[in-house]
Amino acid sequence: MIGTSQSIVLASPNNFRYAISFGGLMKPSERIDRRYSDDEGRVVPWTDAEARLAATELAWVVTVRPDGRPHATPMVPVFHDGKVYFHTGSKEVKYANIQANPQVLVLAGDTAWQQGLDVAVEGTAVPVTDDALLRKLAELYRDRWDGRWQLDIKDGAIVSELPDSEVVAFEVTPNRAFSHSKGDPFSQTNYRL
């Protein structure tokens, strides 16, 4: 995030936009993909994609099974400090898949064709064990929907009510992302993070 520092945006010949500040190159870069965009389509700023992720009540996480088959499941995400968080039980398929291959795809959007913004984030799912961060996530989950997402934290872990199963929070730092702006005009923006 650029924050409060002064910055300018430069466009390169390959249509990536780079934010430059007095501290050096800032990420992300943003580029419209003309193959999937109307002529009038414009770059969707990463801040808009972040806002979509933050407002998402339900997203999909896609993992890869050890035999290479994909696995997709809905989950309730939290977007905090530029990262996507979710939790799962240690007996669930996505947990086993992440243990074998931590590369995931997080999808946020809806099924509307003429409006909205869909965002796809690629990254690595890493278990969260920091007690302070887990407590912050528990606070953020309490604010989701009607407050039914209650997480209790103790000694750097989520307290599990599931028999013989842990509940593990995962952090996904985006390393690549795409947004699809739907309606008139349509556009796809690619982000390098």
Side-chain angles (χ1 to χ4, degrees), residues 11-49:
S12 70
N14 63 0
N15 291 326
F16 271 95
R17 291 178 11 174
Y18 294 91
I20 307 294
S21 75
F22 296 111
L25 183 64
M26 300 293 292
K27 292 186 178 181
S29 61
E30 304 160 339
R31 180 181 61 83
I32 192 162
D33 192 328
R34 289 287 172 204
R35 297 173 301 171
Y36 309 112
S37 302
D38 291 338
D39 290 340
E40 307 82 31
R42 303 238 184 268
V43 166
V44 173
W46 177 241
T47 53
D48 290 0

Side-chain angles (χ1 to χ4, degrees), residues 85-170:
Y85 295 90
F86 65 93
H87 53 53
T88 187
S90 61
K91 302 287 185 184
E92 295 190 32
V93 173
K94 66 181 165 288
Y95 179 86
N97 293 346
I98 290 169
Q99 297 310 299
N101 180 352
Q103 300 302 309
V104 299
L105 176 65
V106 176
L107 304 169
D110 57 47
T111 59
W113 174 252
Q114 288 294 330
Q115 64 184 8
L117 182 68
D118 297 336
V119 179
V121 172
E122 296 177 8
T124 303
V126 177
V128 177
T129 58
D130 178 76
D131 195 74
L133 179 54
L134 284 171
R135 290 183 187 285
K136 178 63 180 176
L137 296 178
E139 176 186 321
L140 293 169
Y141 269 106
R142 272 192 297 278
D143 294 338
R144 300 297 287 172
W145 293 343
D146 58 4
R148 76 177 85 178
W149 293 96
Q150 300 292 320
L151 300 178
D152 294 322
I153 310 301
K154 183 178 179 185
D155 300 326
I158 299 172
V159 176
S160 176
E161 296 178 7
L162 302 171
D164 302 321
S165 181
E166 298 175 42
V167 175
V168 179
F170 286 96

Side-chain angles (χ1 to χ4, degrees), residues 1-2 5-10 18-26:
M1 301 294 297
I2 294 172
S5 66
Q6 293 276 334
S7 64
I8 59 173
V9 175
L10 302 176
Y18 294 91
I20 307 294
S21 75
F22 296 111
L25 183 64
M26 300 293 292

